[in-house]
Amino acid sequence: MRTMDAIITTPEGALASPAAARNRAPILAVLRTHLPARGRVLEIAAGSGEHAVAFAGALPGLTWTPSDPSAAARASIAAWAEAAGLPNLRPPLAVDVLDEAAWPQGPFEAVICINMIHISPWAATEGLMRLAGRVLPVGGLLATYGPYLEADVPLAPSNAAFDGSLKARDPAWGLRDRDAVAAAAKAEGLALTRRAGMPAENLMLLFRRVAG
């Protein structure tokens, strides 16, 4: 599981992320406004699984399917899910955005991706957009969360330092330019429809599929 966060192992064997605990409420507030009341949601790079449990519990009309290419992450997701016992939370899938053979069949009404784009190579962002373009129906939602570079917004010192730490860990990682992400989405029939400012200098970018 790729993360820059401190990870704690619970007595039940699940992984706990302090960042997930901090950001799930503001992320959920945005999702409540833009997700449909019913439908299927695919979460990409679900990590520890805490978001999946929190969001599935808060949005019972949605069937939530978490996924992660990491076996350790999927084990953590399964542990959190077992403890929660939510009927609308599906078992985690082994989805890698760089491996199209591992992609699930759609349609999903929404695809959610939290804190992956900056902790992965650019090819992963392109893969995310291709996947979303494939599994979303017209009007379907792709929601991403994390820090971004923006030409028209000064870079916060905290994000500049974070970008440096990411690149020191892996030169292929780092904050992505918002407009470049939007262009990659547009190439797959997805239009950027909302930029939502979030705590700690993060953003949610919301895209809708507008073309087949």
Side-chain angles (χ1 to χ4, degrees):
M1 183 174 69
R2 293 178 175 177
T3 179
M4 296 292 285
D5 195 22
I7 297 295
I8 302 163
T9 303
T10 71
E12 294 76 20
L15 304 176
S17 163
R22 290 192 301 269
N23 63 34
R24 63 191 176 202
I27 293 173
L28 177 60
V30 174
L31 293 179
R32 279 189 188 277
T33 303
H34 296 279
L35 286 172
R38 299 190 177 278
R40 299 173 69 209
V41 177
L42 174 65
E43 183 182 358
I44 297 296
S48 66
E50 293 164 278
H51 286 133
V53 168
F55 300 160
L59 303 166
L62 296 171
T63 299
W64 201 278
T65 302
S67 73
D68 202 287
S70 163
R74 294 194 302 275
S76 178
I77 296 167
W80 283 113
E82 181 178 3
L86 297 170
N88 62 322
L89 181 59
R90 295 293 179 258
L93 301 179
V95 177
D96 185 338
V97 293
L98 296 176
D99 180 10
E100 295 191 25
W103 294 356
Q105 295 294 316
F108 291 89
E109 278 64 44
V111 174
I112 311 299
C113 185
I114 298 168
N115 281 335
M116 182 203 81
I117 286 177
H118 57 286
I119 313 181
S120 60
W122 176 247
T125 297
E126 295 175 320
L128 172 66
M129 299 309 174
R130 285 197 302 275
L131 183 151
R134 178 181 298 182
V135 303
L136 291 173
V138 172
L141 173 71
L142 167 64
T144 72
Y145 169 91
Y148 290 90
L149 302 174
E150 298 183 284
D152 53 347
V153 179
L155 183 62
S158 58
N159 274 352
F162 185 43
D163 185 50
S165 68
L166 288 167
K167 290 174 179 173
R169 180 165 172 179
D170 189 324
W173 295 4
L175 274 62
R176 306 301 180 190
D177 180 78
R178 180 199 66 197
D179 292 341
V181 173
K186 184 177 180 180
E188 303 299 333
L190 302 161
L192 178 61
T193 58
R194 182 172 176 83
R195 171 201 180 277
M198 303 293 283
E201 310 297 340
N202 289 299
L203 297 175
M204 285 191 73
L205 301 182
L206 305 183
F207 305 84
R208 294 284 179 178
R209 184 170 175 232
V210 295

